[in-house]
């Protein structure tokens, strides 16, 4: 179609819109090195117009075509169909139709073996099958009934099991019928055909309506239960085959995406009709008129400018910028409409649904909640970026044509993607357009034109009072007066404490917009679930990185910066293998704990971290604020704080419980892992995993039990004693403590919610639900005929003693610090927090007895008895991770508020916190003198590198390249005709020196504890025992705890036997060259590191 012919303009506009949309897809493809394929709704509609049957396998009845492929999907058919060729449907029956659909899938649905790219293509094709509705399912059911009339149900049921094991042994007809029903059940009902029991087929043979479309949901509930969202059998018939497990996993991943969309709908209930992507056909008919009006306006501007008619001021500057653009006015209108609408549809979700508050002043416009809005800044910058990218495509196309002419070959398309990828990396485009001072005014001009040109026709009676009318167009057939009304408005609103400009899409325009499922899926991010199969092995450094889930892509390294060139320079394969190992450890939900948790919720007991259903009552409020005492103010503040906390605690708890209920019948689940930039490993599923809080840990246990053996019961008792807060006793004393409480533990297992039982387990210091789980298992072991052969599921934890300080003490060979954190052997475990507390007590006692400015506050601290272990613990724990003086003060203040918040005024608590935090930091320096010297050396190193605008980088002992990703945010201010725009969020090329310096010491230590964990994991893998890690807490079966204890000590000694600091300094000196020099390393202490091999309590 021609852009010069008014009659052809709508078709031309659609073709340009489609062309631009395809370019955006190719841009994304080149950016992520990934290509997509799907059957467009337009292609399917075209097929249905040309064929009397809407869905069938197609054959060609034209003599002109020669050798034609026997089976083609709709996209391929449209691609090959010649002008005038007749396409007819071959009525080969439902099974033949579905056989065609199955053959066109990129993977066999009964096997599901392939890479993530193939699974992504499969998901797109399955969506096409899903859109066809249940008609094909009904046809497949009829064919299955016919088969049941031909063959006995027992043989059909056996044939189904054979189909998923050795499909080639079945006849083609039987395979087609089974495959047809399987595909439709898989897609339409999220059900596996192999799960259906024989009894169903027996009833089905006698009654063709037995499995009508309304019966399938009932069967789903019978098979999987009403307390789960996923197709996991309530009564498993043995362990799933690998193919069946993969099929369940794919359904879970597809349902996870659907659940994310449903959550989105629920969160945006008031804006359901406004949450669409602008590029769909039903929306194009609305905004295409706006784009046409914009094109006419821009054309008029260009004509007037060419004739010498100039406009002064910012408006004239914007007009000149528009004239310099090499893009057609029609395309500028399309890009502006689509970009602004897409940002409007998605902005509130990305911003957390923040409500706009009316500004009480000259800006009195109100944005109702049901309206869609986007910040003016976001719209302008998005339009500017989109136009810049389209302009860049023009350059790419010119270069491609210079290399390949007008060829559309694969080589030409590949060249185009490579050129675009290079352009994206270098951020080059049309000279000058990537500069905000030019691109932002251009974006502002296009948005301004959209606001003035976008009109909708609405019923005058539907307008709100006070809304301005532009022009009455006509009277409808029923006498309704239609008016032309602006679709958008620009208004200033208060957002929190800021006044922000917004573009609002009026309700009249929203009524013409709709939302489609597949498009919404592009905007939501599903919350990953545990897996039913082992995660994919990680391939982080190839051309197409993949790992983890079957079709959902996750990053190997958790970072906002997707560009990871160092993954190719320094191979992370060793780290990847460790992640594969710990991700392949099978877990399962502890149903006994889940049942007790359900009862706690039902009775609203509010114990063991389960939040109450109701908020705490507010005390009576005095008539005037002057009547408030300091204690009453503190009490009010604490209650308000607790109410705010419950707002997040309740949904967080419910999400954990929901996932546990979903997988309670799973025989085993797996947690894929990835790492942060320091190498610390994290499970990908966010809600239920072993790295989370006590509720999650209590709900999980190893899926593969192991007999306790001769030493397992002892370690099980030690684990329970640790959870009860007895971890500072010797191992023998911990065992004795549990033996003495045997009758209480058995009573807890018998009735966990009795008053006495709750008092024991629900108040456990280090994990109530884990304590209850150990009580259950320990009681079962005591009651078993042979304790040594008892199969244990519970993981045993070995925790490091302030692990960060352990690494500091080993780096500096600090003998005094090593003793405090159990790096050297001792008869009883040392408690570094008590060591520091005793020094603080001595200092406070000295200040209280001597006259000085701290005497009064020291006496007050002693009188209130606040010098407790918990007051110093957090600061000691975080000192090696970069806690500042202000941070230490806040930590101490929080603990003091919990202890004496209702006795002392907030002002006095702040003064005491400042005093005690200073003493705690001084005491730590005394105990870990050499460690603090190394920390100061780290600070000097980061200062030197930051002064050269170089990020701090290092390679961990396990070969992972680490780079601190801290850069300054770049802010540019641009004036437009509507308002000033502050553009932020981009990373400047300059380093954030403060964050680089502050982050290096803790990040380096974190990389060491991550390396230690991976070395321990490798050692456990070599010894054939299961392993799970939570940074500085290592888990295994009770029977293997002694082996794990040995591996921990050996790998710690192996790690720190390397000259880690010397290697770091050498690497940095090579990196710096002659530009700068680094200070010499601090002198090491006299610690004999081999003593670590004899320490029983290094991890206990």
């Amino acid at each position: 179609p021609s852009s010069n012919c008014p009659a052809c303009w709508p078709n031309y506009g659609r073709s340009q819109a489609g062309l631009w949309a395809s370019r955006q897809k190719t841009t994304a493809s080149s950016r992520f090195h990934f290509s997509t394929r799907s059957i467009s709704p337009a292609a399917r509609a075209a097929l249905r117009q040309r064929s009397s049957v809407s869905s069938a396998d197609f054959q060609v009845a034209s003599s002109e075509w020669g050798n034609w492929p026997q089976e083609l999907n709709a996209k391929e058919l449209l691609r090959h169909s010649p002008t005038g060729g007749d396409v007819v449907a071959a009525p080969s029956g439902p099974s033949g139709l579905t056989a065609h659909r199955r053959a066109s899938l990129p993977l066999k649905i009964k096997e599901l073996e392939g890479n993530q790219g193939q699974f992504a293509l499969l998901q797109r094709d399955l969506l096409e099958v899903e859109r066809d509705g249940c008609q094909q399912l009904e046809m497949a059911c009829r064919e299955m009934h016919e088969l049941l009339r031909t063959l006995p149900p027992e043989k059909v049921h056996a044939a189904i099991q054979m189909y998923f094991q050795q499909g080639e042994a079945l006849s083609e007809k039987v395979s087609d019928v089974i495959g047809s029903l399987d595909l439709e059940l898989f897609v339409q009902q999220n059900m596996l055909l192999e799960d259906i029991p024989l009894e169903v087929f027996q009833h089905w043979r006698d009654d063709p309506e037995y499995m009508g479309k309304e019966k399938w949901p009932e069967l789903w509930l019978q098979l999987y239960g009403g307390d789960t969202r996923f197709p996991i059998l309530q009564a498993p018939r043995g362990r799933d085959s690998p193919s069946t497990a993969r099929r369940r996993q794919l359904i879970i991943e597809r349902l996870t995406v659907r659940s994310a969309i449903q959550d989105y709908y629920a969160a945006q209930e008031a804006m359901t009709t406004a949450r669409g992507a602008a590029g769909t056909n039903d929306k194009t008919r609305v905004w295409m008129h706006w784009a046409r009006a914009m094109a006419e306006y821009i054309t008029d501007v260009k004509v007037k400018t060419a004739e010498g008619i100039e406009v002064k001021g910012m408006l004239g500057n914007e007009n000149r910028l528009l004239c310099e653009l090499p893009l057609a006015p029609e395309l500028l209108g399309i890009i502006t409409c689509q970009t602004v609408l897409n940002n409007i549809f998605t902005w509130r979700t990305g911003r957390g649904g923040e409500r706009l508050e009316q500004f009480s002043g000259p800006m009195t416009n109100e944005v109702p909640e049901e309206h869609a809005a986007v910040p003016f800044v976001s719209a302008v910058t998005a339009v500017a970026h989109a136009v810049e990218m389209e302009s860049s495509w023009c350059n790419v196309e010119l270069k491609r044509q210079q290399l390949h002419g007008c060829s559309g070959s694969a080589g030409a398309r590949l060249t185009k993607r490579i050129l675009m990828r290079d352009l994206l990396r270098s951020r080059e485009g049309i000279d000058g357009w990537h500069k905000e001072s030019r691109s932002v005014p251009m974006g502002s001009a296009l948005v301004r034109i959209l606001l003035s040109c976008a009109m909708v026709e609405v019923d005058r009676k539907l307008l709100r009072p006070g809304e301005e009318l532009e022009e009455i167009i006509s009277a409808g057939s029923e006498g309704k007066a239609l008016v032309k009304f602006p679709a958008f408005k620009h208004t200033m609103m208060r957002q929190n404490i800021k006044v922000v400009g917004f573009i609002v899409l009026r309700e009249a325009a929203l009524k013409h917009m709709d939302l489609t499922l597949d498009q919404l899926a592009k905007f939501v991010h599903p919350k990953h679930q545990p897996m039913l199969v082992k995660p994919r092995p990680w391939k982080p450094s190839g051309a197409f990185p993949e790992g983890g889930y079957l079709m959902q892509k996750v990053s190997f390294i958790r970072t906002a910066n997707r560009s990871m060139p160092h993954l190719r320079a320094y191979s992370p394969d060793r780290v990847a293998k460790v992640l594969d190992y710990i991700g392949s450890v099978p877990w399962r939900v502890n149903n006994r704990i889940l049942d007790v948790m359900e009862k706690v919720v039902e009775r609203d007991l509010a114990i063991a971290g389960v939040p109450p259903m109701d908020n705490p009552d507010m005390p009576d409020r005095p008539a005037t604020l002057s009547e408030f005492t300091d204690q009453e103010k503190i009490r009010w503040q604490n209650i308000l704080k607790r109410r705010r906390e419950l707002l997040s605690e309740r949904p967080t708890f419910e999400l954990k419980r929901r996932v546990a209920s979903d997988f309670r019948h799973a025989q085993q689940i797996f947690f894929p892992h990835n790492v942060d930039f320091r190498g610390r490993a994290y499970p990908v599923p966010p809600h239920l995993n072993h790295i989370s809080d006590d509720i999650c840990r209590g709900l999980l246990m190893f899926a593969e039990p192991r007999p306790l053996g001769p030493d397992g019961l002892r370690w099980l008792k030690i684990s329970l004693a640790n959870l009860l807060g007895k971890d500072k006793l010797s191992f023998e004393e911990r065992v004795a403590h549990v033996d003495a409480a045997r009758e209480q533990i058995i009573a807890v297992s018998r009735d966990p919610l009795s008053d006495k039982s709750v008092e024991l387990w629900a108040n456990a210091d280090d994990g109530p639900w884990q304590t209850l789980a150990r009580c259950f298992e320990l009681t079962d072991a005591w009651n078993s005929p042979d304790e040594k052969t008892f199969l244990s599921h519970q993981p045993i934890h070995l925790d490091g003693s302030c692990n960060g300080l352990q690494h500091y003490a080993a780096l500096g060979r600090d003998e005094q610090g090593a003793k405090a954190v159990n790096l050297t052997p001792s008869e009883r475990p040392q408690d570094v927090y008590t060591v520091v507390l005793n020094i603080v007590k001595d200092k406070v006692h000295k200040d209280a007895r001597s006259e000085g400015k701290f005497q009064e506050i020291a006496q007050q601290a002693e009188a209130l008895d606040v010098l407790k272990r918990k007051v110093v613990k957090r600061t000691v724990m975080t000192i090696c991770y970069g806690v500042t003086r202000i941070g230490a003060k806040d930590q101490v203040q929080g603990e003091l508020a919990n202890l004496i918040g209702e006795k002392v005024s907030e002002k006095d608590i702040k003064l005491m916190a400042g005093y005690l935090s200073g003493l705690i930091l001084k005491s730590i320096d005394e105990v870990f003198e050499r460690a603090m010297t190394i920390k100061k050396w780290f600070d000097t190193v980061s200062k030197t590198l930051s002064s050269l605008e170089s990020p701090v980088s290092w390679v961990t002992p396990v070969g992972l390249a680490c780079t601190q990703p801290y850069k300054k945010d770049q802010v540019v201010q641009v004036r437009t005709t509507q308002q000033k725009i502050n553009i932020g969020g981009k990373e400047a090329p300059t380093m954030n020196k403060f964050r680089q310096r502050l982050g290096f010491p803790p990040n380096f230590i974190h990389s060491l504890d991550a390396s230690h964990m991976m070395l321990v994991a490798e050692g456990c893998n070599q010894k054939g025992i299961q392993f799970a890690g939570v940074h500085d807490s290592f888990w295994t079966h009770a029977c293997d705890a002694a082996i794990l204890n040995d591996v921990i000590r050996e790998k710690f000694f192996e790690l720190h036997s390397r000259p880690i600091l010397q290697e770091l300094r050498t690497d940095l000196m090579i990196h710096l060259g002659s530009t700068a020099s680094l200070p010499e390393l601090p002198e090491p202490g006299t610690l004999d590191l081999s003593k670590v091999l004899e320490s029983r309590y290094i991890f206990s």
Side-chain angles (χ1 to χ4, degrees), residues 22-34:
S22 67
R23 289 175 179 173
Q24 303 310 303
K25 292 180 181 179
T26 309
T27 301
S29 172
S30 61
R31 181 178 299 171
F32 299 106
H33 310 286
F34 185 76

Side-chain angles (χ1 to χ4, degrees), residues 349-397:
T349 301
R351 303 282 291 187
E354 299 168 354
R355 182 173 179 175
L356 310 178
E357 298 178 358
Q358 183 176 351
F359 179 70
S360 55
M363 291 160 286
T364 57
N365 294 321
E366 185 177 357
V367 181
E369 284 189 322
E370 69 268 21
H371 281 197
V374 67
F376 182 80
V377 174
S378 300
V380 167
T381 53
V383 170
H385 175 73
V387 172
E388 176 191 346
M389 295 304 300
E390 184 63 16
S391 301
S392 302
W393 266 107
C394 294
N395 283 349
V396 169
E397 183 64 17

Side-chain angles (χ1 to χ4, degrees), residues 105-117:
L105 297 176
L107 295 175
K108 291 183 178 180
I109 200 70
K110 69 175 184 178
E111 297 173 357
L112 294 180
E113 293 182 345
N115 57 41
Q116 280 183 326

Side-chain angles (χ1 to χ4, degrees), residues 521-584:
K522 299 176 183 178
F523 297 97
V524 298
H525 299 281
K527 297 298 183 183
H528 298 291
Q529 302 292 333
M531 299 185 67
L532 297 180
V533 297
K534 291 184 179 181
R536 286 181 176 278
W538 276 109
K539 298 177 182 178
S541 55
F544 300 97
E546 68 170 41
Y549 291 90
L550 296 183
M551 75 173 186
Q552 295 173 357
K553 297 197 71 174
V554 293
S555 300
F556 179 71
I557 294 183
R558 298 180 171 213
T559 177
N561 181 11
R562 293 179 177 267
S563 177
M564 292 289 171
H566 56 277
L567 292 184
R568 294 178 174 86
Y570 298 89
S571 172
D573 289 346
R574 185 178 181 184
V575 175
K577 290 180 180 178
V578 173
L579 294 185
D580 294 340
Y581 165 62
I582 60 178
S584 64

